[in-house]
Structure formats: structure tokens, C-alpha cells
Amino acid sequence: MLEGEQKLVERAKEGESSAFGLLYDYYLPKIYRFVLIKVGQREEAEDITHLTFLKAWESIDRYSYRGYSFGSWLYRIARNVVVDHYRGAPIQISLEDANEPESDEPLPGHDLDTKVEYAKVMRALSKLGALEQDVIIMRFVDDLPVRDVAEAIGKSEGAVKLIQHRAMKKLKDYLK
Amino acid sequence: MEEREISGILSKLSEIEPSADYALRSRGAILAAPRLPRRYFGLAGIKRYIGEGVGFAISIGLASITIVLLLINVPKALSPMIGNRLPGSDTAALVNDVDAAVKDIDIHLQEAQLFDTAAQKAGSALKETANGRAPHINQSLIQKESDGVAPQVTNTEPVNIDNILNELAK
């Protein structure tokens, strides 16, 4: 969680755009990569990320602190925007795309072997259900605590742990 | 591939970041967007809308009372300042002026009635005289009245005014 986050949120609620700007700067990379991994296309990820923050800014009065980070609320908005945009369509990333991505946003790693490894993981990830993808990305990519993930997806912490365990088991099976 | 390797690869994906150009453009566009009107839900919303209604009614009531008080008190407060400049605004002076005018009118009315009565009496007397039907008018009576009105001259001797004047001139 960003230090002094709740004060920034309150200032943003009062209409102070610079306060929301700080929240944007902190959460933009997280939300962007969450969306990019889900949709696989840079331009779509940018559009969805932009729409997510726009919705958050327009309706920030609806957010109230209940022990969860502001980021949880943003992830929830992002999930809804992605669902609205694709109606739950699964991630479509092929090995060929991963080896030579059309996106301007390259996968991490400098050598071909690393990129292939990433591509395999991404392909396995694409076989998971939308909820399992969300939990894996939030927990292992963005390193969110379980309770924030639970708030973002509207489930209990126990349910998150269960979904995570099941999703990781599936990934291992896909990557055998 | 083990779970540790998978989680390691996934954590490396955190290096993905949006381009600085996109971040700048998106940030500017979002912060320039107008905010939606503030919404209230549940009990807070009910309280707010009731509060707004009561607040509006109180505002109207207070505004009305203020206007009435102003209409009553402002002329009173200003009368000492503008009283000399606007004599017409002094009601006491106006009453006095009206009373004086009424008195003048009463006096003129009384005079008019008096003249009317005198004229009527003179007219009837002249009419009676002209018709010779004035029994109270006879020579003896007139003489008597004339004697009573005329100055009483006790000195019957003729007075030689010229002689007196000549003596005075000497």
C-alpha cells in the first residue's frame, strides 16, 4: 500500500487532481501489467487501463476505506472493464507471438531461452479460468497480499488461497 | 517445471511497465476529465437528501424573514439621515400641514356662509323697500335711529374755523 494512501484518497475525493495523480503514478504499472497479461495486446491493455483509471477518478466518491488498499478497488474496476471489453474471452497468446511478439511491449528476458520459458508460462496461464488468472497475476506478478486479492475479486481469503493452490497445480500440470 | 520456477517466472513479469509517453498522455487526459457529481448511498444518502430539503426550507424562511425585517427597519433607520432632505417623508409635519389647510378651509367656509346670509338679508330688505311693504320703515323711526347714531353735537354756536386757525397762526 502506498504510504499516506488514505489521505491522498480523501484529497482526491475533495477534487484535488494532483492527489489522484500520485495514486495514478503508483498504481499504473500494476494495473497495466495485470491487464496486459490478461489481454495480451499492448494497445488494448493501454485502452483498458486508461478506462480503468478514468472510471476510478470519476467515481472515487464511491470508494471507502475498509482496511483494504485503494489498489484492490482499482483491480476490481480493471477486472470489470476487461470483462465488459472481452466478455470473459481467454488470453490468446501463442508461442509464436511470444517468440516474436507483435506488441511493442517485449516480455522480460534477454535471451531466446528465457523468452520461450515465459511464453510457455503465459500459454499455460491462458488455459486457466479468468478468476484463477486474476489470482495468479495479483499474487505472483503484482505481489498483492491475500486479503487485498480477496477484496479485489470479492471472495474470502480462504477462497483466494484455495483458488491459488488449484491454479498453481493446473499450471504445473500444463508445464510438465 | 516446479512451482518455485513458475512463481519465479511470474514475478519477473513485474518488470513490464507502460511506456512513459502513454503514461503521460493518459494521466493528463484522466485528470482533465470532469468528476461525476458526488453520490450518497443508503442511510447517508437519505440523511443528505432530507438535510438538503430541510436546508432549502430553512433558507427560504430565513430569507423571507430577513426581507420583511429589512422592509420594516431600513426606512426607520434611514429617516434621520434623509428626513431633512425629504420633508415629505416626515409624517408628523405632513399631518400638521394638513390640519392647517383644513382650518383655513373651515375659516373660508364660515366667511362664505356669513356673506351668503348677509346677502340674503340685504336682498330681502331691498325687495321689501321696493314693494313699499316695509311697515317698520317710517320717517319717525328713521329719524329716531338717525338721532341715536349721529354724533351728539352739544355746542350749538357756529364755530368760526377761520378765526381759530388765524389765532393759531399768530
Side-chain angles (χ1 to χ4, degrees):
Chain A
M1 185 186 292
L2 178 62
E3 190 178 353
E5 182 174 281
Q6 289 312 309
K7 288 183 179 177
L8 287 174
V9 171
E10 291 305 316
R11 283 165 54 193
K13 281 185 176 181
E14 296 298 321
E16 193 175 328
S17 58
S18 61
F20 188 80
L22 294 174
L23 293 167
Y24 175 91
D25 293 339
Y26 181 77
Y27 283 108
L28 174 67
K30 297 173 183 291
I31 299 298
Y32 172 78
R33 77 174 65 100
F34 171 78
V35 174
L36 179 65
I37 293 170
K38 283 184 70 70
V39 304
Q41 296 293 324
R42 177 186 158 185
E43 288 183 357
E44 289 177 355
E46 287 180 347
D47 290 345
I48 291 170
T49 304
H50 177 79
L51 193 56
T52 298
F53 279 96
L54 187 62
K55 282 177 177 284
W57 171 237
E58 287 176 342
S59 56
I60 194 169
D61 289 326
R62 296 184 186 181
Y63 170 74
S64 57
Y65 182 68
R66 291 179 297 177
Y68 307 102
S69 71
F70 182 69
S72 301
W73 187 62
L74 290 175
Y75 279 105
R76 198 161 56 193
I77 295 173
R79 289 180 72 239
N80 291 333
V81 175
V82 170
V83 169
D84 288 346
H85 199 69
Y86 289 101
R87 294 294 172 192
I91 301 170
Q92 298 292 335
I93 297 178
S94 66
L95 267 177
E96 291 74 19
D97 290 339
N99 286 333
E100 294 181 15
E102 292 177 1
S103 168
D104 296 336
E105 192 70 40
L107 290 169
H110 303 288
D111 55 23
L112 186 59
D113 290 340
T114 308
K115 285 187 176 180
V116 170
E117 289 296 314
Y118 281 123
K120 285 181 181 177
V121 172
M122 292 294 287
R123 187 172 187 182
L125 195 57
S126 70
K127 293 178 180 175
L128 298 176
L131 192 59
E132 292 169 334
Q133 290 173 10
D134 293 346
V135 171
I136 292 296
I137 296 168
M138 288 184 208
R139 289 288 291 134
F140 294 102
V141 179
D142 287 340
D143 200 24
L144 258 65
V146 173
R147 67 172 188 171
D148 282 6
V149 176
E151 172 66 12
I153 66 173
K155 302 279 186 185
S156 67
E157 293 186 27
V160 170
K161 290 175 183 174
L162 188 64
I163 293 167
Q164 176 186 323
H165 176 74
R166 192 167 56 219
M168 191 56 78
K169 188 171 181 295
K170 284 183 181 179
L171 283 176
K172 281 171 66 176
D173 291 341
Y174 295 149
L175 292 169
K176 274 184 180 175
Chain B
M1 193 178 288
E2 294 299 318
E3 188 173 328
R4 186 184 300 174
E5 291 178 87
I6 296 170
S7 61
I9 291 172
L10 289 171
S11 66
K12 285 285 182 184
L13 291 174
S14 63
E15 295 174 10
I16 295 172
E17 288 195 348
S19 70
D21 180 55
Y22 159 76
L24 192 63
R25 281 188 290 108
S26 175
R27 190 182 199 273
I30 289 166
L31 297 184
R35 291 272 307 281
L36 293 177
R38 195 164 190 164
R39 295 180 183 177
Y40 295 87
F41 301 95
L43 190 59
I46 294 170
K47 284 181 179 176
R48 176 163 180 84
Y49 287 119
I50 290 175
E52 284 179 350
V54 172
F56 180 73
I58 290 173
S59 300
I60 294 295
L62 288 175
S64 303
I65 291 169
T66 304
I67 290 171
V68 169
L69 290 175
L70 284 173
L71 288 174
I72 291 171
N73 290 318
V74 165
K76 285 184 180 177
L78 293 178
S79 61
M81 290 184 284
I82 63 174
N84 295 332
R85 297 178 185 175
L86 297 174
S89 63
D90 188 352
T91 51
L94 277 175
V95 169
N96 289 336
D97 290 345
V98 170
D99 285 343
V102 169
K103 284 178 183 174
D104 286 344
I105 291 169
D106 288 342
I107 290 168
H108 289 306
L109 283 174
Q110 287 173 356
E111 288 178 351
Q113 284 176 347
L114 188 63
F115 289 139
D116 184 49
T117 305
Q120 284 179 357
K121 286 181 179 177
S124 67
L126 286 171
K127 192 181 288 183
E128 287 175 355
T129 304
N131 293 335
R133 290 184 295 135
H136 62 283
I137 302 176
N138 52 53
Q139 290 301 318
S140 61
L141 184 59
I142 291 171
Q143 185 61 47
K144 188 179 179 180
E145 288 179 353
S146 176
D147 292 342
V149 173
Q152 298 298 318
V153 181
T154 54
N155 188 5
T156 55
E157 292 181 1
V159 178
N160 192 343
I161 293 172
D162 291 336
N163 294 337
I164 294 171
L165 289 172
N166 289 332
E167 287 178 7
L168 286 173
K170 291 176 182 178

